[in-house]
Structure formats: C-alpha cells, structure tokens
Amino acid sequence: AQTVTQSQPEMSVQEAETVTLSCTYDTSESDYYLFWYKQPPSRQMILVIRQEAYKQQNATENRFSVNFQKAAKSFSLKISDSQLGDAAMYFCAYRSSEWYSGGGADGLTFGKGTHLIIQP
Amino acid sequence: DTAVSQTPKYLVTQMGNDKSIKCEQNLGHDTMYWYKQDSKKFLKIMFSYNNKELIINETVPNRFSPKSPDKAHLNLHINSLELGDSAVYFCASSQGTGVGQPQHFGDGTRLSIL
C-alpha cells in the first residue's frame, strides 16, 4: 500500500516570503498522480495543484509550484509571496493508477498535513 | 451554487443511534467518495462509488454503508454509532475514475458522539 509522509507538522513564514512544504511518498507504481490540497479553518478541502508522475515538468499555479523528484519520491510545494489567506492545513495526496489498490478504496491517500502559519 | 453539498454540517447524537449524512453533487460527476478526518486531521478514504460499483476500504466497519439513489447522490448511513466514530466526514466527487481527475470536496459534516 502507498504511504504519504509530511514531516513538518507546522511551518511558519512571514507574509510576502517564500515557504516550502515537504512531502515524500512510497510506491512501487510508475504511473500515478500527486496532489496538494489546502484546508483553511472553514474546513473546505481545496485543490491547490496536481502533478502527473509521467510529466517531468514541475506543475505551477500562480504563486504555487511543486518540486517533483520522482526518483527520490519527493513532492514539495513552494508558496511564493505568502499571503495571510494562505494560512491553512496543507495535505499532500497520492492517487494510484490502479482501480483496485489492494484492499483500499480507490481514493486519495493523504499525508498527515502541515499547518502553515503566516506571520503578518 | 455549491458543487458538492453535505447535510447536516454538524451532527450530535448518542452512542448506539443510527444516523445518515446526505451528499449531493451538481457537477455531473459519475464517481463519488466518502472520507473520514479524525481528530488529528488525518484523512482516510472510506468508500468510492462509480457506475453502481462500490469499493470499500477494508478497514471500514460494516456499520457504515453508503447508499446511492442516483448518480448525483451518495449518502452515508451509520448504524450503532460508537465513540470512535466522532470525526469530520467528507464527501467528494470526480468525473470518471481517471487517476488524474481532481476530486471536489464538500464542506464536511462534523459528527460528535456523546
């Protein structure tokens, strides 16, 4: 079964600065997708960015970009020009290319999250 | 217009009761999911449902059962509620089962068992 590890329970950054959230995962598959979701205090789960394992080019969405290192099984999220509205829990997630994932339902496998604090 | 809506947002009930959480999506998606987020914020897939095919995470007790009256709804029924069922439950949907399809989440239902 796949596992996703986020080693930073909490990160703090000054407004307007850049912060990087780390994520590593374990899989034996070659084709999969990786996602970053944001959960603000309102509890919504909001998709931030996604990356296909077969694409070498790192995904970017405005101020958000990833550093995808397939061999190292690493998928970090960089937030540039941090804003107060970026304060949230950030979850890294993995989705298998296989419909049946060995006893697990076909959904996202999440890391335990990183709580991002933005200092004004 | 809420894409994925869950009701109720909060549910407080006593141990042993049976309860349901409703989920509706107006995105025209054909795949829906239920996730559980525990007190430590850990999210775990419970079920996925596509074209009348239900896939169950083997760790989910059989007291939990999803019911889909139509493609736009996937309700979660829980029998004989236990203290450990206290959590936030999220419904989600996606178009197809393609691995890259983004999942759209509802706002969650906080279930508290007394």
Side-chain angles (χ1 to χ4, degrees):
Chain A
Q2 295 81 18
T3 57
V4 177
T5 302
Q6 293 179 249
S7 58
Q8 306 149 316
E10 188 172 281
M11 292 280 286
S12 182
V13 65
Q14 290 288 130
E15 194 177 1
E17 292 187 349
T18 295
V19 63
T20 299
L21 309 184
S22 66
C23 172
T24 59
Y25 56 95
D26 187 26
T27 184
S28 58
E29 297 175 346
S30 59
D31 186 19
Y32 49 86
Y33 260 83
L34 296 162
F35 303 82
W36 278 98
Y37 277 86
K38 168 185 175 181
Q39 186 178 40
S42 64
R43 210 172 65 196
Q44 290 175 296
M45 290 290 291
I46 302 165
L47 177 65
V48 175
I49 200 165
R50 58 177 168 161
Q51 173 82 41
E52 182 179 7
Y54 266 113
K55 288 190 176 175
Q56 292 190 345
Q57 187 174 5
N58 289 324
T60 61
E61 287 286 343
N62 300 314
R63 296 182 297 107
F64 297 87
S65 61
V66 298
N67 183 3
F68 174 49
Q69 303 287 329
K70 191 172 182 180
K73 295 179 184 174
S74 170
F75 183 60
S76 60
L77 175 70
K78 185 170 87 170
I79 306 173
S80 304
D81 185 25
S82 299
Q83 299 176 0
L84 293 177
D86 296 333
M89 284 289 289
Y90 285 81
F91 293 95
C92 179
Y94 173 103
R95 188 158 187 209
S96 170
S97 61
E98 296 175 9
W99 174 239
Y100 292 94
S101 302
D106 177 47
L108 296 164
T109 300
F110 285 93
K112 293 194 173 183
T114 297
H115 182 209
L116 179 63
I117 298 167
I118 310 294
Q119 308 273 9
Chain B
D1 291 339
T2 305
V4 182
S5 60
Q6 298 178 226
T7 53
K9 290 195 184 307
Y10 299 93
L11 182 54
V12 182
T13 189
Q14 291 193 327
M15 213 164 49
N17 284 350
D18 302 337
K19 289 294 177 186
S20 295
I21 305 172
K22 293 185 177 181
C23 177
E24 176 182 5
Q25 53 92 8
N26 62 7
L27 297 166
H29 289 169
D30 58 6
T31 306
M32 296 183 73
Y33 312 82
W34 277 103
Y35 289 85
K36 177 181 180 180
Q37 186 175 40
D38 63 22
S39 59
K40 295 184 179 178
K41 301 284 189 182
F42 185 51
L43 273 151
K44 195 166 185 181
I45 182 72
M46 299 176 70
F47 304 100
S48 58
Y49 187 82
N50 172 267
N51 287 332
K52 301 185 181 179
E53 183 176 21
L54 176 67
I55 300 180
I56 304 170
N57 187 316
E58 62 188 2
T59 65
V60 175
N62 57 16
R63 298 181 294 103
F64 290 77
S65 58
K67 298 278 195 305
S68 180
D70 56 60
K71 211 168 74 168
H73 296 83
L74 185 67
N75 304 323
L76 182 64
H77 300 273
I78 316 170
N79 294 328
S80 302
L81 280 157
E82 299 178 358
L83 290 175
D85 297 334
S86 293
V88 179
Y89 291 85
F90 285 93
C91 177
S93 72
S94 68
Q95 181 53 43
T97 57
V99 65
Q101 291 297 330
Q103 295 184 15
H104 299 257
F105 285 78
D107 290 344
T109 296
R110 181 177 295 280
L111 174 62
S112 300
I113 310 300
L114 303 177

